[in-house]
Structures are given as C-alpha cells and as structure tokens.
C-alpha cells in the first residue's frame, strides 16, 4: 500500500526522472565540482548522507509497515508512545555527602523529578570501604553501609517513585544494603519499581580489571536476579551500559554493535546460570549516551530496538525486546568548560534525540556537570528541559513522531545494517568477552576517537566557544576536586562504626548478606563475604574516556596562566595590507585562529607598505605577527615584511595567513623568514601549542 502511486505520489519511473532532473540542475550550478564532494557528507560510521531523500530510498527497507508496540519495535515498544506515560525524569544528583544528597533530592522531587538515581562512587562500586581506598573519589555518592543509605533516602516514599542504582560489577553488597533499608522501613518489595543493576562488563572496561573475575561477577548477577525476581518483580537487575563507548569516541555503529554484543553475552551468562533469555531480557536495562549528531542519535535508538529484537528472535523471545528498558543520558564527550552555557543548548538537542528515538528514562546533564558538581540553578534548567519537551513542545502526543521520515528511516536502516555486520565480526571472534580480552573493540574505538580528535584540532568539527568563536573575557568554569579532608573524616567515621566481619555467610547468599547489612556490615565486608575467595581475576585494556574540548581548554588555561604571571595575554599582531577587501577575510580568520588559544589580537589599522607593517609589528610588543593579504600580493610583500621584522625583532614569530599552492613559493617564504602558515586545513591546536611553547606559556 505504501508503494501505490497517488495524486501526490508520482509513480516510480516519474519519481526517478524528477530526481535525475534535480541532480542534473544541481550539478550545473556546481560548475564542475563533483556532486559527491560538495553535497554528500560522510559520517564516522561510513554512511554517505545525501542532500535529498525521497520515497525511493525506502524501497528495500523492511519493517516499515510495523506499528508502535509491535515487533521488531522499529517504532517503539509502546502502542501509544508516551501518551499513556512519559519517559522518566531520571536526573542524577552530583553530591558526595549522603545528608546533602537527601536534601537536594527531596527538593528536586518536589520540582519535577520523577525518579531516584542513587549513583554510588567508584570506591563503593569497587567493593571497598572509604578507609580502604588510596585516594578520595568525586564521581558519585559515598555509600558504605545501611546508615549511609538510610540517610540518603530519608523521608522518600519508595513506593511512590522508582529507584535506580548502578551497583558496579557485583550487585550483592549494595543490593543487600538497599534491601536492608527497605526491610527496616517495612516497605512492600512487590511494589518497588526501578532498577538495581550490575554491569560487570562496563566496570571491566572502565577499570581494566576485576579482582573477582567475570565469571564470579556473573554468578553474583544471576544470584541477585533470582532473588529480586521473587521479592521485587518490577525491579531490573542486569545492566548493559553502552555509554562508555561513545564517551571514549566510538562511532554510532560501534556503539550499537558492542551494546547488543554485550547484551548477548549477558543473555548467555544468565542462561548458563538457569535464567531464561526472555526473563533475562525483561530484567535488563540498557544505557546509552546521546551525542551531538541529532538525526543519527534518533536513528540509533530505533536501530537498537531492531538489532535487539533480532538477537532475541534467535532465542524465540522476540517480543521480550519490548520489556527491555532503555535509559539515555546526554553525553559528556562534547561538553565544555568554556562558554559553558552553550552546554544547555547541546543537552537540549541531545535530549530531544533520545525522546524522538523512544527512550524509557532520561538524564539531561546540567550545563556545569562537566566540572564534577552542579548547583540548584543548573539542575532546575536541566529538569525544565524535560518539561518543555513534554508539556510545551508536545512530543508526548504522537507515537514515533520521527517515523516515516525518508531520511530517518533510511539512516536507521543503514546504521542497523552496519552495526549488525560489526556485531557478526565480534561473534566470529568468539563473542564480546573474547573480543575484549583480545583488545579488538578497544583498538577500533581508539582509531575512530583519534580521527575525531584530529577533526576537532583542525576545526573540521566545531566546538562553539572552544575551538570556534571564543569569549576571552568569560569566567571559565572550574573543575571540582575531591575533598581530601572530608574523605578522611568520612573514612574515620565508617571505620569507627564498622562491626566485626560477618561470619558463616555462604557466597551469593542474598538473604544472609541482607541480614548482615542490617546489622551494619559495610560494602567492603559484604563484598568479601559475597563471592568465593578463589574466584580469580580479570584484566583487559581499559577504555580512555575523554572530552573533545580538552586540548583547546589546555591552551586557554596556559594562556590564562601566562596572563596571570605577566599581566597580559599572549599577543598577536595582525599586519593588514591594503584596502579592506584585500585583507579582511584573512585578518578575521587569523584573529579567530589565535583567539581559541587565548591570544589577544593587536593592530586595527591597515598598511600600504610591507616596511610600515613590519615596523608597527616590531613596535607592538607582540610575540607573533601575521601578514594578512592575498595570494597575488604575497610574492612581493612577504620577503620585505619578514626580513624587516626579523631584523628589527629577531625573536618574533612570523606567520602567513594562507598557504601557497606552489611548494617552491612556500620554501621561498620560509627562507625569507616565515615561521608558520595558517589556513583552513591547518592543525590549529598543534600550531597554537607550538607557539605557546615558544613564548614559555606552555611546557
């Protein structure tokens, strides 16, 4: 029916003729420039994004006739989308102290948050007590025992809102503590909603090692799943966090392939431990970071459901894909310390991608989350984005509003196909666990990440306020460092109230661990009691998480430090030659080029002669001088300007705005005294770093 011509839908042959005629006219306008080079964009996934999509692009795509709530869930897992109930407002609270966490959370729950996110710090996720950690941790909530958990959750009705907690590799210690809190309160576990999940693979990826080994950790996940399925059937217990892949620089197809490959590894591990695939799938919660490529991210969530349905179909459990939860959080890789309020705009588009893609829960990062701490204002703005999307923009009114878009449907199909091919490569290597041990996925991601960093360094990819359009007068966000004194104080308090180590607990015994937790046993004690002491260990090459703006932020920090030390920023003199039309384009380019490194531009006037420009540059006190003119004038101007300036001020760095196509001319200019060439293909970060090193601002 979708392919039946109508009055507004021309037959295929007519459509093809229209497309051919359109392309012919466009190519004529391009005046010889190849169509593919000018108008077709290549993504890191190897997908060619076309300037025009039509109905013809959907001809070979399956499942387009499916409806929301119907396998393979291309259009979402719910018949009415968000019409019956919206996505969960699942905001994380970046607070270390449990009492402060409770106060902030209570306030946020009164102002729009619809769930509790208890994100333990890295010490707790490692299964350690604070006094067993070598250094403080600032990445989450410090929860060490039932006292901490009770304080964090005081006055919160857990029957009214869902609770989400990512416990690390082993769910039993923190899970037992939470069960102990609920038992003390007399909370009916049957009504508890949310997730208390463990993700051994993600922890292994982030840490590079697991002291207990993957098999032992999977044993713990299975034991936890069995126990919770009986007590709290609405609580999910198996986590698959694909976020670290994006945060390490992976392509979207890598993210998807590795997510479903990890999900399959969990299915197999649970099946080996007596949990059926359809049961395991219903207990899973996948988490994805949401990047800045708006349409690609929408397609990513839609493609994930197709891929996951296909995997479950092999187990005869395709419909179980509908019960697998998908959580989204706006990415950190593209956030910045500079011009930080732009982060609000970034997270808004990322959040919209997740919503249009059909996520079940969503964390929208406050604009200052990149520092490691947030405030009431930034949290309020982030929560309000949820409200805007749901209440003002009405994205809850239509199921799969992106569905039917020729562009998005084609992009979804291409992502799914490429991700499936990569998934099959991983399977051919023995599955995800074997591939991780061999380091294959890590190497793949590192290669893509390197390409992304290079694109940012050369400004083929823009980061507004950081490598493009910087504001040198702004107050830059400061990174928050862990409070060492508070850590020592807390460690002392935990050590003082820690009871004797519990005895007689069999490994994986959830009931006994919960009883021990209720008597004050700590995370460290429960970890040691929960797993066999001879469970082995696991080591792999870990992922390196990064923000793409860090390199340029380092340049700005060096310039700021230089200014604090000397009383002035590094200066660059713009030697503008001739009338405005002759110098303006390259002068503006040069000012922007150096501004992203924290250089202050000098030289508002233009010059008629190279000698006058060189004299003014020498007198300015600038350590760098840029000659700004046209390619036609450079052969006459460059030798005079460079030699005169070097004679007057030997230490100055002479830069030419532009790069001659003639290599012989480049060598001629270098001989005359030009030290550097800046142009649209230049590695901006590398050049600026080198110049900052020359003036002593950067080591």
């Amino acid at each position: 029916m979708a392919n039946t011509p109508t009055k507004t839908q021309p037959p295929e042959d007519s459509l093809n003729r229209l497309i051919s005629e359109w392309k012919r006219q466009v190519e004529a306008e391009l005046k010889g420039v190849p169509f593919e080079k000018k108008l077709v964009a290549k993504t890191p996934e190897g997908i060619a994004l076309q300037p025009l999509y039509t109905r013809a692009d959907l001809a070979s795509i399956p499942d387009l006739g499916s409806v929301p709530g119907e396998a393979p869930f291309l259009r979402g897992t719910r018949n009415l989308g968000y019409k019956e109930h919206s996505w969960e407002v699942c905001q994380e609270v970046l607070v270390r102290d449990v009492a402060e966490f409770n106060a902030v959370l209570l306030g946020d729950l009164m102002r729009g948050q619809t769930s509790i996110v208890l994100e333990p710090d890295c010490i707790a996720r490692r299964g350690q007590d604070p006094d067993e950690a070598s250094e403080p941790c600032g990445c989450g909530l410090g929860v060490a025992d039932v006292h901490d958990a009770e304080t964090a959750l005081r006055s919160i009705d857990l029957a009214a809102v869902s609770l989400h907690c990512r416990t690390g590799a082993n769910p039993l210690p923190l899970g037992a503590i939470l069960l102990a809190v609920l038992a003390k309160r007399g909370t009916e576990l049957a009504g508890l909603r949310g997730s208390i999940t463990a993700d051994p693979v993600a922890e292994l990826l982030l840490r590079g090692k697991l002291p207990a080994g993957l098999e032992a950790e999977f044993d713990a996940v299975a034991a936890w799943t069995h126990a919770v399925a009986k007590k709290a059937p609405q609580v999910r217990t198996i986590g698959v966090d694909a976020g670290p892949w994006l945060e390490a620089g992976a392509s979207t197809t890598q993210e998807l392939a590795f997510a479903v490959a990890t999900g399959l590894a969990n299915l197999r591990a649970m099946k080996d431990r007596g949990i059926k695939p359809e049961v395991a799938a219903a207990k899973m919660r996948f988490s994805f970071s949401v990047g800045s490529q708006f349409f690609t991210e929408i397609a990513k969530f839609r493609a994930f459901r197709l891929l996951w349905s296909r995997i479950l179909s092999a187990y005869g459990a395709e419909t179980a894909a509908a019960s697998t939860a998908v959580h989204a959080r706006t990415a950190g890789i593209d956030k910045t310390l500079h011009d930080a309020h732009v982060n609000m705009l970034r997270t808004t588009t990322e959040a919209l991608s997740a919503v249009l893609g059909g996520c079940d829960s969503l964390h929208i990062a406050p604009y200052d989350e990149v520092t490691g701490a947030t405030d009431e204002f930034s949290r309020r703005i982030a929560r309000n984005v949820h409200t805007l999307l749901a209440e003002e923009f009405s994205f809850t009114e239509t199921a799969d509003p992106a569905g039917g878009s020729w562009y998005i449907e084609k992009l979804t199909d291409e992502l799914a196909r490429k991700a499936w091919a990569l998934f099959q490569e991983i399977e051919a290597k023995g599955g995800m666990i074997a591939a991780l041990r061999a380091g294959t996925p890590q190497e793949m991601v590192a290669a893509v990440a390197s390409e992304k960093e290079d694109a940012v360094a050369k400004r083929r990819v823009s980061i507004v306020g950081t490598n493009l359009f910087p504001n040198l007068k702004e107050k830059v966000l400061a990174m928050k460092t862990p409070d060492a004194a508070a850590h020592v104080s807390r460690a002392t308090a935990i050590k003082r109230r820690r009871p004797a180590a519990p005895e007689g607990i069999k490994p994986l015994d959830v009931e006994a661990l919960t009883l021990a937790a209720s008597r004050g046993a700590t995370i460290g004690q429960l970890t040691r009691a929960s797993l066999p002491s001879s469970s082995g260990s696991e080591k792999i090459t870990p992922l390196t998480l990064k923000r793409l703006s860090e390199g340029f932020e380092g340049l700005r920090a060096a310039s700021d430090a230089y200014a604090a030390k000397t009383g002035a920023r590094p200066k660059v003199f713009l030697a503008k030659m001739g009338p405005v039309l002759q110098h303006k384009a390259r002068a503006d380019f040069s000012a922007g080029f150096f501004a992203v490194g924290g250089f202050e531009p000098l030289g508002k006037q233009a010059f008629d002669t190279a000698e006058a420009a060189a004299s003014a540059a020498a007198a300015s006190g600038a350590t760098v001088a840029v000659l700004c003119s046209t390619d036609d004038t450079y052969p006459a101007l460059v030798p005079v300007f460079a030699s005169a300036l070097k004679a007057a001020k030997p230490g100055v760095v002479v830069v030419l705005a532009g790069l001659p196509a003639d290599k012989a001319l480049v060598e001629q200019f270098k001989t005359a005294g030009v030290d550097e060439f800046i142009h649209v293909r230049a590695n901006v970060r590398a050049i600026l770093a080198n110049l900052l090193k020359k003036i002593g601002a950067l080591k």
Side-chain angles (χ1 to χ4, degrees):
M1 188 171 180
N3 294 322
T4 303
T6 67
K7 290 181 180 180
T8 58
Q9 194 176 55
E12 293 301 325
D13 55 346
S14 299
L15 179 60
N16 291 333
R17 283 198 300 272
L18 287 170
I19 295 170
S20 297
E21 175 60 21
W22 172 82
K23 188 172 182 180
R24 187 189 65 76
Q25 291 185 25
V26 170
E27 287 175 337
E29 292 290 332
L30 292 175
K31 295 179 171 57
V33 179
F35 180 91
E36 286 73 17
K37 183 177 181 180
K38 189 70 174 179
L39 295 180
V40 178
K42 290 290 182 68
T43 73
E45 295 76 26
I47 294 173
L49 298 181
Q50 302 297 324
L52 175 69
Y53 287 84
T54 71
R55 180 168 46 84
D57 290 295
L58 307 187
S60 61
I61 299 178
D63 305 312
L64 291 179
S66 64
V67 298
E70 176 182 295
F73 308 107
L74 169 66
R75 306 203 62 193
T77 58
R78 289 172 285 193
N79 298 102
L80 299 178
Y82 296 125
K83 186 73 175 178
E84 289 180 300
H85 59 88
S86 185
W87 62 91
E88 282 189 17
V89 179
C90 210
Q91 295 296 104
E92 299 168 16
V93 178
L94 280 185
V95 173
R96 177 101 178 99
D97 178 74
V98 288
E100 184 184 356
F101 172 90
N102 177 255
V104 170
L105 180 59
L106 283 170
D108 289 356
L109 287 170
M110 295 295 290
R111 298 178 178 90
Q113 183 143 331
T114 61
S115 61
I116 302 161
V117 183
L118 196 159
E119 192 77 10
D121 65 11
C122 55
I123 297 173
R125 292 200 310 273
R126 289 196 301 262
Q128 294 179 313
D129 291 339
D131 61 307
E132 297 168 343
S134 58
E135 57 185 10
C137 172
C139 64
L141 183 66
V143 180
D145 58 13
V146 71
H147 175 271
D148 283 340
E150 282 182 310
T151 304
L153 299 173
R154 183 179 296 137
S155 301
I156 296 173
D157 184 0
L158 295 175
V161 291
S162 57
L163 168 68
H164 296 285
C165 177
R166 297 189 296 179
T167 65
N170 179 358
L172 300 179
L174 191 53
I177 287 172
L178 291 173
L179 290 182
V181 171
L182 295 168
K184 279 191 173 184
R185 290 186 176 188
T187 302
E188 288 290 336
L189 294 181
L192 187 65
R193 294 173 289 116
S195 62
I196 304 173
T197 58
D199 187 350
V201 175
E203 286 295 313
L204 179 60
L205 269 172
L206 294 172
R207 290 159 52 187
K209 59 183 179 181
L210 287 178
L214 269 177
E215 293 305 313
E217 304 289 13
F218 278 134
D219 288 341
V221 176
W224 178 243
T225 300
H226 278 298
V228 173
K230 298 174 184 176
K231 297 173 180 289
Q234 298 184 78
V235 174
R236 300 178 188 276
T237 54
I238 305 168
V240 180
D241 188 1
W245 294 113
L246 185 147
E247 305 294 1
S251 69
T252 305
T253 47
Q254 289 174 339
E255 190 183 356
L256 283 167
F258 300 155
V260 295
T262 305
L264 178 55
N266 275 274
L267 286 180
R268 287 168 172 159
M270 295 303 103
K271 186 179 180 184
D272 291 344
R273 291 159 176 82
I275 300 174
K276 295 179 180 179
E278 59 270 25
V279 175
K283 291 298 179 183
M284 282 189 181
R285 187 181 193 236
F286 282 81
S287 296
F288 289 92
S289 288
V290 192
S292 58
Q293 298 304 304
F294 179 70
F295 293 104
T296 300
E297 293 298 320
I298 296 172
K300 177 176 78 178
F301 287 95
R302 303 173 90 247
F304 165 73
R305 292 192 294 270
L306 289 175
L307 296 169
W308 188 234
S309 295
R310 188 170 183 178
I311 287 173
L312 289 174
S313 179
Y315 285 98
E318 184 180 24
T319 56
S323 55
T324 301
V326 176
H327 174 66
R329 71 178 324 277
T330 56
I333 190 172
D334 59 345
K335 302 307 181 293
T336 61
L337 293 172
H338 292 108
D339 211 352
H341 288 92
V342 177
N343 290 337
M344 294 182 191
L345 307 180
R346 296 184 178 113
T347 57
T348 299
T349 65
E350 291 164 1
L352 180 54
S353 292
V355 167
L356 294 179
C359 69
D360 296 300
S361 58
L362 174 63
H363 165 74
I364 301 176
Y367 77 91
D368 54 354
E369 185 181 272
V370 66
T371 67
T374 59
D375 61 25
E376 184 177 351
F377 170 76
S378 65
R379 291 193 302 273
R380 179 176 182 271
I381 294 295
R383 285 195 311 274
N384 280 348
V385 174
H386 288 275
T387 306
L388 286 168
L389 295 177
E391 303 296 337
E392 287 197 24
F393 305 155
S394 302
F395 287 113
T396 58
E397 296 300 310
T398 304
D400 188 27
S405 161
W406 295 324
Y407 175 31
I408 291 177
E409 296 290 11
K410 181 66 173 178
L411 186 55
T412 299
D413 182 67
E414 289 185 292
L415 284 177
R417 290 179 188 275
K418 286 182 177 292
W420 186 259
L422 180 53
F423 162 74
Q424 289 179 312
E425 288 182 33
I426 297 299
E427 282 295 282
K429 295 180 182 298
M432 193 61 180
I433 305 303
L436 289 174
R437 287 168 176 160
T440 304
Q442 299 95 312
E443 291 173 5
M444 291 179 178
V445 170
V448 175
S450 179
E451 292 174 2
K452 288 184 177 181
E453 288 183 294
D454 184 69
V456 169
K458 295 176 179 176
R459 299 203 297 188
R460 295 196 306 272
V461 169
S462 300
I463 303 177
V464 174
T466 301
N467 75 349
L468 194 70
F469 308 132
N471 175 14
L472 298 185
K473 297 180 180 180
E474 70 175 320
K475 183 178 180 181
V476 181
L477 290 182
M479 295 294 291
K480 305 298 191 297
T481 56
D483 188 334
H487 171 74
V488 171
S489 175
R490 180 170 173 272
T492 301
I494 298 295
K495 188 175 181 179
R496 186 180 298 120
R497 67 174 184 253
R498 182 168 54 206
E503 296 180 355
I505 298 177
K506 294 180 180 179
L508 310 179
D509 188 339
V510 177
E511 294 283 352
L513 290 167
T514 302
L515 180 59
S518 69
R519 294 171 176 171
T522 60
I523 287 277
Q525 291 176 322
L526 294 168
T527 298
R528 289 184 284 274
S530 65
L531 297 176
S533 58
S534 58
S535 53
S537 62
E538 187 86 47
K539 287 187 178 182
I540 64 167
T541 301
L543 287 179
T544 301
L545 309 189
K546 60 192 73 180
R547 288 185 299 108
L548 292 172
S549 61
E550 287 177 0
F552 282 95
E553 289 172 357
L555 300 181
R556 288 278 294 277
S559 295
D560 291 345
Y562 181 88
K565 181 179 179 180
T566 65
R569 285 189 169 280
K571 293 179 171 55
V572 55
F573 184 85
L574 305 180
K576 306 172 185 177
M577 301 304 303
V580 172
L581 287 178
Q582 180 177 327
H583 67 250
K584 181 172 173 52
R586 280 179 168 162
D588 290 348
F589 172 80
S590 300
F593 189 105
F594 282 92
V596 299
F599 283 78
E600 178 187 346
L602 303 177
K604 295 182 179 180
Q605 73 275 32
F607 302 92
D608 294 326
T609 67
E611 293 89 347
S615 177
S620 71
T623 53
V624 181
V626 187
L627 184 63
C628 304
S629 189
T630 62
D631 290 343
D632 292 340
T633 63
Y634 279 155
L637 293 174
V638 171
V640 177
F641 176 80
S643 58
L645 182 53
K646 289 285 187 178
K649 192 174 181 182
V652 73
V653 177
V654 177
V655 178
L656 186 66
L659 180 67
D662 186 345
K663 292 183 179 180
L665 199 56
V666 171
E667 293 304 316
Q668 180 184 327
F669 289 168
K670 287 182 179 179
T671 302
V674 174
D675 298 296
E676 192 61 79
F677 300 83
I678 61 173
H679 48 91
V680 293
R681 297 183 303 279
N683 189 317
V684 180
R685 192 178 72 198
I687 290 173
L688 293 176
N690 184 49
L691 293 177
L692 287 170
K693 287 176 183 177
K694 284 186 177 181
I695 66 174
L698 187 66
K699 294 183 180 179

